[in-house]
Amino acid sequence: MKKITAFLLTLLALVFVFPVLFLAVGSLMGKNELTDLLLPVLKTGSTGYASWKLFPEYPTLRSYVEVLLDSPEFFVMFWNSVKITLGALAGELLVGMPAAWGFAKFDFPGKKGLFTLYIALMMMPFQVMLLGNYLVLDDLRLLDSLLGIILPAVFSTFPVFIMYRFFEGIPLALLEAARLDGAGELRLFFMIAIPLGSPGVISAMVLGFLEYWNLIEQPMVFLKTKELWPLSLYLPNIDMDHAGTAFAASMVALIPAVLVFFAGQDYLEQGIVSTAVKE
Amino acid sequence: MKRKRAFKGILFILPSFAGVCLFWLLPYMDVIRRSFFSAVGGTFTGLKNYETVFANQAFLLAGENTIRFFGTCIPLLVLLSLITAVLINGLKEMHRQLLKTAFLLPMAIPVASVVLLWRALFNGQGILNHLLFMLSLKNVDWMNTGASFGVLVISYIWRNLGYDIVLWLAGLSAIPESLYEAAHVDGAGTWKCFTCITMPNLLPSLFTIVVLSLLNGFKVYREAYLAAGDYPQEKMYLLQHLFNNWYRDLAIDKMSAAAVITGLVIMALILLLQRAWEGDA
């Protein structure tokens, strides 16, 4: 019985990771092989069905060479993605981390209401905020610029919430003791909050990375200039005639996210749990 | 002294709060204001924009689809993730970790990278129909019939199952082992343990999981949009598509009213969630 459930679960898990295998295998295939397999999907009017293989017949890195060496526009978009992601995360550290600390360990009138507001904002889907976002970016002349994507993300309230959950667990007695020893609030923030709350900070960064690397709605509506597009908008626009390029480009886009995922999986899980359970 | 410290707390929050006001809060308040005015000329029109939105065919279609989407997906996801979590929980540590990783991985995969697979999979002559053909089952025209709704559901479950499994596992780990031991001594079987110990103890988690699944559900638009464009098959047309299309036409009056309506619904859900959090403590 136990063996059977384990087997079935493993089967299901394989279905879940299939997309990664699919992309990996496809990116290593030669042009002819790929066209042979996918022709019914690529070309209307052809007969039969598309099929797939577990391994490429003649593995080749040609598609990667094409993407990495022969398509300069790919690099531009890759860097745009990097700029948006790193810009947003750096900003969140700078602005969100102190805010989370302020919410976690200080008392002032109206704090509870303010925090509820932060939670409400973090949970609103982008479409609800879209019009407001557009209006303010238009006023600030930030439409069609990377800064117009990065700045609203910097002030996203989600990382504040995650970090708050972790800062909250730092014992008050520790802070009181440090205060008695004459440590100032800034010193407490740097010497106690950040080191002890670092799992929360990393959680917020991992969740943020996956979000911004995958950003679609904002760049789609706010960026008119194609040279500013991130990878997430570029990939779906690759012509299916260049299926090989599309596969390799998809892999290159996937790799940073998967690396961050594996490096930060524990923190990712802690972050997910912190949104649901109050310790 | 106390007052001084409160002031310092506010200083920590201030930079963040200023930005939040500038980029999110004030613009949204402006949207609320605009929802009561006409788009051209800016005269006060009362609830007219709301009437227009509620009479709008596209809004009704999108609203219905969105509600049906959540009505189908959330029970399905919650149940599936619960079953998987309970089964995973009974496995050995290493196997458990491995499976958890596999189910969480879709969270990390950029939507844009999956689109390629979605096209190859759900095309009329695609891989999925090939499988159905081999099993001597009838073909499904995934993208051009009501079956497109199924594509949405599959996308959503695939991406969110791991998230919910992690939440359930956290709930499961909080149940003291001694409860099960005592039940075993009293001669309770596996099923009895599940219904009398596991289920009641997971009940508090259920509510948060439902709300979080719902809020994550809005992101399914990314897959739907990238795979099927601005005007997908009718059953796939969600509120998110509608907002996007209104944005392109700069229909500010309709958009602002719809943003207020959707915002209110979500706000109600959040307040419920908060009450549940406080109930936990």
Side-chain angles (χ1 to χ4, degrees):
Chain A
M1 181 65 193
K2 209 156 198 176
K3 282 242 166 75
I4 299 172
T5 37
F7 175 73
L8 288 177
L9 281 173
T10 312
L11 215 61
L12 186 66
L14 280 177
V15 173
F16 270 67
V17 295
F18 171 71
V20 179
L21 303 177
F22 174 82
L23 291 173
V25 171
S27 69
L28 293 173
M29 278 181 185
K31 201 172 179 180
N32 292 335
E33 195 177 7
L34 209 53
T35 330
D36 275 351
L37 289 172
L38 293 180
L39 190 69
V41 175
L42 299 177
K43 209 167 179 175
T44 41
S46 45
T47 50
Y49 293 103
S51 44
W52 202 245
K53 287 180 186 159
L54 283 181
F55 298 101
E57 208 164 333
Y58 306 104
T60 161
L61 290 174
R62 172 156 290 166
S63 302
Y64 283 98
V65 173
E66 246 168 66
V67 168
L68 296 176
L69 300 178
D70 300 340
S71 31
E73 76 274 17
F74 179 82
F75 263 106
V76 174
M77 309 224 182
F78 190 87
W79 279 116
N80 287 338
S81 279
V82 171
K83 280 183 210 160
I84 291 177
T85 309
L86 292 187
L89 292 183
E92 284 179 355
L93 279 182
L94 207 66
V95 181
M97 206 160 55
W101 182 241
F103 277 118
K105 290 295 173 209
F106 292 88
D107 269 318
F108 54 89
K111 186 179 97 165
K112 205 165 162 253
L114 196 60
F115 197 60
T116 306
L117 184 79
Y118 267 58
I119 292 176
L121 285 173
M122 97 184 186
M123 296 209 164
M124 286 295 166
F126 172 68
Q127 284 78 18
V128 171
M129 310 308 283
L130 163 61
L131 180 60
N133 225 219
Y134 165 79
L135 293 170
V136 69
L137 292 180
D138 189 33
D139 281 346
L140 297 174
R141 305 258 169 279
L142 285 176
L143 281 175
D144 204 21
S145 74
L146 286 184
L147 215 54
I149 308 293
I150 295 171
L151 280 179
V154 164
F155 295 104
S156 131
T157 54
F158 182 61
V160 178
F161 176 79
I162 298 275
M163 293 188 244
Y164 162 85
R165 276 295 170 96
F166 286 81
F167 283 151
E168 226 188 353
I170 297 176
L172 209 60
L174 192 64
L175 297 179
E176 292 301 339
R179 277 183 189 130
L180 282 181
D181 289 343
E185 294 301 332
L186 267 182
R187 207 178 147 81
L188 291 185
F189 176 63
F190 285 110
M191 305 305 281
I192 295 181
I194 295 181
L196 290 183
S198 58
V201 177
I202 300 173
S203 289
M205 293 296 108
V206 172
L207 282 162
F209 183 94
L210 298 180
E211 171 71 17
Y212 299 126
W213 191 253
N214 196 11
L215 210 57
I216 298 207
E217 288 97 336
Q218 289 86 330
M220 183 171 79
V221 295
F222 295 140
L223 297 178
K224 292 264 175 308
T225 316
K226 271 199 172 179
E227 285 72 40
L228 293 175
W229 278 11
L231 269 184
S232 40
L233 289 186
Y234 165 73
L235 290 176
N237 283 304
I238 302 178
D239 201 340
M240 277 308 247
D241 289 342
H242 305 280
T245 323
F247 272 92
S250 293
M251 269 315 271
V252 178
L254 177 97
I255 288 166
V258 169
L259 286 180
V260 168
F261 172 81
F262 280 116
Q265 198 193 341
D266 286 341
Y267 297 105
L268 180 73
E269 286 177 26
Q270 287 177 36
I272 292 173
V273 172
S274 76
T275 57
V277 194
K278 193 151 185 162
E279 308 72 65
Chain B
M1 187 63 196
K2 208 166 176 190
R3 177 166 270 168
K4 206 170 150 198
R5 194 173 298 159
F7 178 69
K8 282 183 179 157
I10 294 173
L11 280 186
F12 272 107
I13 297 173
L14 203 61
S16 160
F17 184 61
V20 167
C21 282
L22 178 64
F23 284 102
W24 302 107
L25 197 59
L26 295 177
Y28 191 66
M29 280 154 80
D30 188 33
V31 168
I32 298 178
R33 184 189 62 82
R34 277 169 194 265
S35 74
F36 297 106
F37 289 84
S38 69
V40 199
T43 44
F44 183 77
T45 51
L47 293 175
K48 196 164 156 294
N49 290 339
Y50 291 88
E51 281 163 25
T52 321
V53 165
F54 277 118
N56 185 294
Q57 283 303 316
F59 180 78
L60 295 179
L61 173 72
E64 191 196 317
N65 283 340
T66 309
I67 291 172
R68 194 157 39 97
F69 169 72
F70 284 123
T72 316
C73 281
I74 304 241
L76 203 63
L77 178 72
V78 168
L79 203 67
L80 255 169
S81 58
L82 173 62
I83 295 170
T84 325
V86 170
L87 292 178
I88 287 181
N89 205 35
L91 298 174
K92 287 202 190 73
E93 177 63 23
M94 207 188 78
H95 204 164
R96 180 167 51 188
Q97 275 305 329
L98 219 61
L99 285 173
K100 206 158 52 165
T101 306
F103 287 118
L104 264 179
L105 186 64
M107 254 190 97
I109 301 177
V111 179
S113 302
V114 203
V115 170
L116 208 54
L117 172 64
W118 259 221
R119 284 183 192 159
L121 213 53
F122 296 112
N123 186 285
Q125 290 167 289
I127 297 169
L128 206 57
N129 274 345
H130 196 176
L131 273 176
L132 291 178
F133 175 75
M134 289 197 298
L135 298 168
S136 317
L137 293 170
K138 242 179 98 185
N139 260 336
V140 179
D141 190 356
W142 293 99
M143 295 313 266
N144 303 310
T145 64
S148 63
F149 189 71
V151 177
L152 274 188
V153 176
I154 293 173
S155 308
Y156 173 76
I157 303 272
W158 174 70
R159 196 172 279 284
N160 289 287
L161 190 73
Y163 191 102
D164 282 22
I165 288 176
V166 169
L167 292 176
W168 283 122
L169 283 174
L172 283 170
S173 71
I175 305 174
E177 198 58 40
S178 57
L179 279 180
Y180 290 103
E181 278 156 21
H184 275 302
V185 171
D186 290 343
T190 315
W191 180 247
K192 186 100 183 142
C193 280
F194 181 72
T195 50
C196 295
I197 301 175
T198 313
M199 294 258 274
N201 276 292
L202 286 180
L203 210 57
S205 313
L206 174 68
F207 182 73
T208 25
I209 291 179
V210 167
V211 177
L212 288 171
S213 306
L214 213 140
L215 296 164
N216 287 332
F218 282 95
K219 290 183 187 158
V220 81
Y221 169 70
R222 295 175 174 177
E223 269 102 358
Y225 177 79
L226 291 186
D230 288 321
Y231 294 98
Q233 206 279 330
E234 198 175 280
K235 295 267 187 233
M236 225 181 177
Y237 192 73
L238 300 171
L239 277 176
Q240 296 92 305
H241 288 97
L242 182 66
F243 271 100
N244 197 42
N245 293 338
W246 277 348
Y247 170 80
R248 225 189 4 236
D249 306 336
L250 276 180
I252 291 184
D253 44 353
K254 279 185 256 170
M255 260 187 107
S256 51
V260 174
I261 298 166
T262 322
L264 277 177
V265 172
I266 290 163
M267 194 63 210
L269 285 169
I270 293 165
L271 290 176
L272 279 171
L273 178 67
Q274 256 210 332
R275 182 160 295 174
W277 276 338
E278 272 153 26
D280 276 355

